[in-house]
């Protein structure tokens, strides 16, 4: 009887395992699938330098806004500058002068044209002040 219960539990876990594998699809494949869905950007934030770094990423979709916690704000900000991240207006904020490099990168499309953006900032505060919600991948 234990064998039957274990087999049922295993079979019940298979759909969850399949869903997990699908969630782990490579970013390039996810971006390719999103290409048919309108405006989208695959955004990546890498903290640190070449010796030690951590990377977070998200697929930002804008019709409807999905991808990270601030997707609606990010899409609205991008709409005001026609998807040109470098044209986002900087917010007037005070950031410490701590050197903690962070690199923001985005690849995707906006209104049918390709978007590519990469910039390294002295710290995360400066990145947020210059890029708004687009790279706000933290909670």
């Amino acid at each position: 009887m234990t064998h039957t219960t274990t087999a049922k539990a295993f079979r019940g876990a298979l759909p969850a395992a399949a869903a997990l594998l699908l969630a782990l699809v490579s970013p390039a494949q996810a971006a390719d699938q999103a290409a048919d869905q309108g405006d989208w950007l695959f955004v990546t934030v890498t903290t640190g330098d070449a010796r030690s770094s951590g990377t977070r990423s998200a697929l930002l979709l804008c019709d409807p806004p999905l991808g990270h916690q601030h997707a609606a704000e990010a899409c609205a900000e991008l709409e005001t500058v026609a998807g040109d991240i470098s044209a986002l207006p900087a917010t007037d904020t005070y950031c410490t002068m701590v050197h903690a490099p962070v690199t923001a990168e985005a690849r995707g499309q906006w209104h049918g044209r390709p978007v590519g953006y990469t910039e390294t900032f002295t710290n995360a505060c400066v990145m947020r002040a210059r890029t708004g919600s687009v790279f706000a991948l933290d909670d």
Side-chain angles (χ1 to χ4, degrees):
M1 189 166 340
T2 303
H3 174 57
T4 306
T5 304
T6 305
K8 286 181 182 177
F10 180 73
R11 276 183 272 157
L14 283 177
L20 178 62
L21 287 174
L22 288 175
L24 297 176
V25 171
S26 76
Q29 290 171 335
D32 288 342
Q33 292 170 356
D36 297 332
Q37 297 181 13
D39 300 331
W40 62 276
L41 294 175
F42 184 71
V43 295
T44 303
V45 176
T46 303
T47 56
D49 56 19
R51 293 182 309 257
S52 65
S53 65
T55 301
R56 296 176 314 281
S57 59
L59 181 61
L60 175 63
L61 302 172
C62 287
D63 191 24
L66 300 168
H68 61 71
Q69 187 175 11
H70 306 283
E73 295 93 341
C75 292
E77 292 167 0
L78 287 165
E79 187 62 38
T80 65
V81 294
D84 183 2
I85 297 168
S86 62
L88 287 168
T91 59
D92 194 15
T93 188
Y94 292 101
C95 294
T96 62
M97 294 178 61
V98 173
H99 182 72
V102 60
T103 301
E105 183 175 1
R107 299 281 177 255
Q109 77 173 18
W110 196 266
H111 296 306
R113 73 175 169 78
V115 172
Y117 174 87
T118 302
E119 187 167 348
T120 300
F121 300 93
T122 54
N123 58 49
C125 177
V126 175
M127 178 188 70
R128 283 189 301 273
R130 299 268 308 280
T131 63
S133 300
V134 175
F135 295 99
L137 303 180
D138 294 347
D139 291 338

